[in-house]
Amino acid sequence: MNTNLLGVLATLTLSVGLAIPLGRYLAKVYQGERVWTDFLNPLERLMYRLGGVNPGEEMGWQRFIRALLTINMLWFIFAFLVLFLQGILPLNPDGNASMTPDLAFNTAISFVVNCNLQHYSGESGLTYLTQTGVIMFLQFVSAATGMAALAGVYRAMQEKQSNTIGNFYVYFVQSITRVLLPLSIVLAIVLVAFGTPMTFDGKINLTTLQGVPQSISQGPAAAMIAIKQLGTNGGGFFGVNSAHPLENPNFLSNILQTVSILLIPMAMVFALGYYLRRRRLAWVIFGVMSIGFLSFVVGTIRAETAGNPAISALGIDQNLGSMEGKEIRLGAEASALWGIATTATSNGSVNAMHDSMTPFSGFLQMLDMMINALYGGVGVGLLNYYIFIIVAVFISGLMVGRTPELLGKKVEIREMKIATLITLLHPFLILAGTALSSYLVVHHSDLAWAVKPGNWLNNPGDHGFSEMLYEYTSASANNGSGFEGLGDNNFFWNFSTGIVLILGRFLPIIGPVAIAGLLAQKQYIPESSGTLRVDTPTFGVMTFAVIFIVAALSFFPALALGPLAEYFSMY
């Protein structure tokens, strides 16, 4: 256990140690300063020329959002068509079939929005063409979309008064060429060295030590695994994701992949400080996020290492912790850390089955996604936190009798309306979806659908409710992990979660960009003795309180019916 805990500490230390210099580099990239990757300028200029983009042209926030939405709509159409036709397209050595329309719809949306919710098994549900040409491609561009949106907010926060927030396409291309691609190449090479396959050959047929013939799937996995982690995408090349020994061969690869999950979300916080030249503000934000994150990590490790009391009652030794659904090569502690890291960052990859975690761990993982601002996905995590800052500024201003201001700009009714709507959207999508599915299971279990509602759940009672709550939470948070006891590959779940995916992705991007753009247009008010400072520990505590009060009021009744009820029923 001590060795495993040292691995957890090493992972967290390495993540922060790498995130600080990466944050400085990101700020320089988005500010257009000289960096070591400037040799890529000719390639970027070629891409702008082919796309008809003028990189020197500034965009207002409305045009910025239109560009973001338009290009994502084109990617969705492309992905849907290729997934729907993959069975008759090349690079399909194993003869995998095309997706049904509803599954292609869900999968295309899921990867366009950086969620990677998988209602299929990777090695049998996709071909090599769709793994690389659709899934891996979308993992790059969806991550870059979130990073570009945050870069636009950086620019708006920096301006004393401006009608523009930069060029979406420039931020988008630079996020890929200067950040995601170089880091992915390095990580993919390391994974290949550890034994992860990178080939276009079909399945390997062999005989096991027991003399049983077996076919083992392989493929161009290393490249996809690298960007799935670095871009907080999370979609697995294989069905069991990073619990598969070819995706995550050993304890060291597990550490590197966990660091990769946390690296860019952490770095984007530090980049804010360097970009605005307000490093103290960045440390306050990072401190609030880290306190929440570490609380969840400690709670999950304690729950998983303590074992399952129902199993202990059978007289079974659990000195290794609760190992159901976990890999022995990784252990309970590393699995617990991954479970919180992947839900805190909207990554969604798994190295253990979340459905098999103890109820308290499941509670913390769901609450992690419900908050959706403790580091969060690349770019979008800090956008979500930005909304909480706006709310905290407004409340704090009212409490002390001052006009709410953020970095010299008045926060008024228009900005608060947007912030309030975005704050309420997340719980609405989760709770409305869970209520609808629960109603169908209880009152219309025998509906004459291809898969009847009564057959959706493999587990009854509290845990079955948790499975449905987790699915909509994961979809709305653009996370992608799941409680796999839920039968989700059917029209209802493919369509309903697809709608949640769209709304849960793009409205929380549009809202912060709109607020930042509106604030940028306002006259700058110099700081004075009456200014409410947002880079102090006191304001950090205020923001922390707003985050958890919103989460408690919105989600604890539902959590009490699911994981908390299951937890207390075990004691």
Side-chain angles (χ1 to χ4, degrees), residues 187-202:
L187 181 57
I189 292 173
V190 174
L191 291 174
V192 170
F194 284 147
T196 299
M198 188 63 197
T199 176
F200 283 93
D201 293 339

Side-chain angles (χ1 to χ4, degrees), residues 1-12 250-252 254-255 258 297 301 304-305 318-323 326-338 351:
M1 179 181 292
N2 290 334
T3 302
N4 289 341
L5 288 177
L6 287 175
V8 170
L9 293 175
T11 301
L12 297 175
N250 52 51
F251 194 81
L252 182 56
N254 190 79
I255 290 178
T258 309
V297 168
I301 289 177
E304 295 307 310
T305 55
Q318 295 187 83
N319 66 305
L320 295 178
S322 176
M323 289 302 293
K326 298 181 180 67
E327 292 296 307
I328 192 68
R329 70 184 188 278
L330 305 178
E333 294 87 350
S335 300
L337 172 61
W338 187 300
N351 71 350

Side-chain angles (χ1 to χ4, degrees), residues 39 95 141 188 212 229 263 327 362 380 413 468 521 525 531 557 571:
F39 69 90
V141 298
V212 178
Q229 307 297 28
L263 180 59
E327 292 296 307
V380 294
I413 188 65
M468 295 186 289
Q521 295 171 0
I525 304 171
T531 300
Y571 292 91

Side-chain angles (χ1 to χ4, degrees), residues 427-449:
F428 172 76
L429 293 175
I430 294 171
L431 299 178
T434 306
L436 175 61
S437 59
S438 300
Y439 174 79
L440 292 173
V441 168
V442 174
H443 296 286
H444 298 283
S445 59
D446 292 326
L447 281 176
W449 292 350

